[in-house]
Amino acid sequence: MPQPRADLSLRKGYHSPQVPVDVRLNTNESPFPPPEGWSDALAEEVRHTSFNRYPDRSAYALREALGELHGVRPEQVFAANGSNEVLQSLFLAYGGPGRKAALWEPTYALHSHIAHLTGTQVVAGRRGPGFSLGADDALELVEREQPSIVLLCSPNNPTGRAEDPSTVSAALSASGALVVVDEAYGQFSSWSALGLVGDGVPLVVVRTFSKTWSMAALRLGYLVGPSEVVRALERVALPYHLDSLKQAAGRLALKFTAEMERRVSAIVAERERLADELSHMAVELWPSQANFLLLRPLRRSGSEVWQGLVERSVLVRDTSSWPGLEGCLRVTVGLPKENDRFLAALSEVLA
Ligand code: PMP
């Protein structure tokens, strides 16, 4: 058989094992199903969709609704099949052979994976104490390497820390690069880079329907940025890449913004409760602005604790072999009863 490209093996640690358990706290999804009103409206939409016709290629109504949500024009919004595809489109348009992307580890593993797939060279810095990234450190790498893309993640997966606004501003002040702030968990954070977006500013903010919006199965993400960037992304997107039903589903979801905001508050409150309980246990814990927490068991190895939790039917993410995260586990904030199951299982395993 013909051999695929030799460099296609997925970076170690990306896939989360799918283990059948009672409590799944490993992939940072929302624990809530989408609102019932949304499912009803979508069912109605199915009846009225002309499935024999191609969808609106520009997804205009969806982009108009997203633009209204963020106070920007539809021309400043690009949508795709999950924020991963938004990121891939950015790399196709702004990365590629002979170009570089700067990022700081530890961060979301798919950023460097997509860079490799698109032939973009990754220049990786390290985050400092508490996984912080100072403006000067960011600037130093960007000025030295002159990347085409600067990737920031706020709050950062898997550390939970929001990027410092001064770091984003510093990256923007370094000429030449497109600054990408991945805000997959942006709604859980007290700060967003969305306020900095504008035509002429080389900044895009990437968001998703997979977390806050409870719609991971829908595969819908988008970015807000300068209209010239959106036009460039339209050149690399496949024709009709967003199907009619998905466009409608996203548009209809935005009618439930108030309910989503209530869910975000409930998850943030649970996150703080979980953090408080964990602070009394034998783990090192980092403050989080996201819907997950990063922790390091003090007296047991991360993978031993992960296994002990699985035996108690609780699944978290084993990040203990990831660079810079030795011994760490990442746990998604779930429903109160799921979090209680996790806490009880963890205290048994640590005992
Ligand atoms: N960015 C970050 C930081 C993430 O953690 C995730 C989900 N793991 C994504 C993007 C991708 O989300 P999706 O493709 O589901 O929108």
Side-chain angles (χ1 to χ4, degrees), residues 160-179:
R161 186 180 177 118
E163 303 288 15
D164 201 303
S166 67
T167 304
V168 179
S169 303
L172 281 174
S173 72
S175 64
L178 179 65
V179 178

Side-chain angles (χ1 to χ4, degrees), residues 14 82-84 87 108 153 157 182 184-185 208 210-211 219-220:
Y14 182 64
S83 53
N84 282 339
L87 292 165
Y108 182 43
C153 191
N157 179 9
D182 183 342
Y185 306 96
T208 179
S210 298
K211 317 292 177 184
R219 309 307 300 128
L220 181 60

Side-chain angles (χ1 to χ4, degrees), residues 75-337:
E75 291 76 17
Q76 292 176 279
V77 180
F78 173 78
N81 295 283
S83 53
N84 282 339
E85 194 182 59
V86 174
L87 292 165
Q88 180 180 273
S89 306
L90 283 165
F91 272 94
L92 287 173
Y94 289 91
R99 290 180 164 223
K100 297 177 185 174
L103 50 81
W104 288 266
E105 298 283 9
T107 192
Y108 182 43
L110 222 65
H111 290 166
S112 51
H113 178 66
I114 297 172
H116 289 305
L117 287 184
T118 55
T120 315
Q121 185 191 339
V122 175
V123 287
R126 288 304 273 202
R127 288 172 189 271
F131 306 115
S132 61
L133 173 60
D136 291 346
D137 289 341
L139 205 52
E140 191 274 321
L141 184 73
V142 173
E143 282 179 343
R144 175 157 47 86
E145 297 288 352
Q146 298 290 312
S148 309
I149 301 174
V150 172
L151 280 156
L152 297 168
C153 191
S154 187
N156 186 31
N157 179 9
T159 66
R161 186 180 177 118
E163 303 288 15
D164 201 303
S166 67
T167 304
V168 179
S169 303
L172 281 174
S173 72
S175 64
L178 179 65
V179 178
V180 178
V181 182
D182 183 342
E183 288 195 357
Y185 306 96
Q187 293 92 333
F188 303 104
S189 169
S190 49
W191 181 78
S192 165
L194 275 169
L196 300 173
V197 168
D199 273 340
V201 182
L203 168 72
V204 296
V205 176
V206 181
R207 293 234 162 162
T208 179
F209 280 75
S210 298
K211 317 292 177 184
T212 319
W213 291 94
S214 301
M215 295 173 189
L218 189 64
R219 309 307 300 128
L220 181 60
Y222 63 97
L223 66 70
V224 179
S227 48
E228 52 267 53
V229 173
V230 172
R231 280 198 298 276
L233 297 175
E234 282 165 352
R235 278 184 242 148
V236 298
L238 293 173
Y240 311 111
H241 70 297
L242 276 186
D243 66 77
S244 298
L245 211 50
K246 183 174 316 206
Q247 294 183 27
R251 190 169 41 73
L252 294 170
L254 300 182
K255 298 189 190 304
F256 297 88
T257 308
E259 182 160 349
M260 293 307 162
E261 281 166 1
R262 280 195 293 278
R263 290 162 175 221
V264 168
S265 306
I267 291 170
V268 167
E270 264 305 283
R271 177 186 77 203
E272 295 310 310
R273 178 179 78 91
L274 205 51
D276 185 51
E277 296 278 351
L278 287 166
S279 69
H280 304 300
M281 298 169 83
V283 297
E284 182 178 7
L285 183 71
W286 286 270
S288 170
Q289 295 266 306
N291 66 339
F292 54 82
L293 289 160
L294 187 73
L295 57 110
R296 177 187 282 142
L298 292 180
R299 290 189 288 272
R300 305 278 302 274
S301 83
S303 21
E304 246 182 333
V305 172
W306 182 84
Q307 189 59 43
L309 292 172
V310 168
E311 282 157 18
R312 287 159 183 80
S313 214
V314 176
L315 184 61
V316 301
R317 190 69 179 263
D318 183 1
T319 56
S320 61
S321 63
W322 296 12
L325 296 175
E326 289 72 22
C328 291
L329 301 173
R330 189 194 69 194
V331 58
T332 306
V333 179
L335 297 171
K337 63 175 191 294

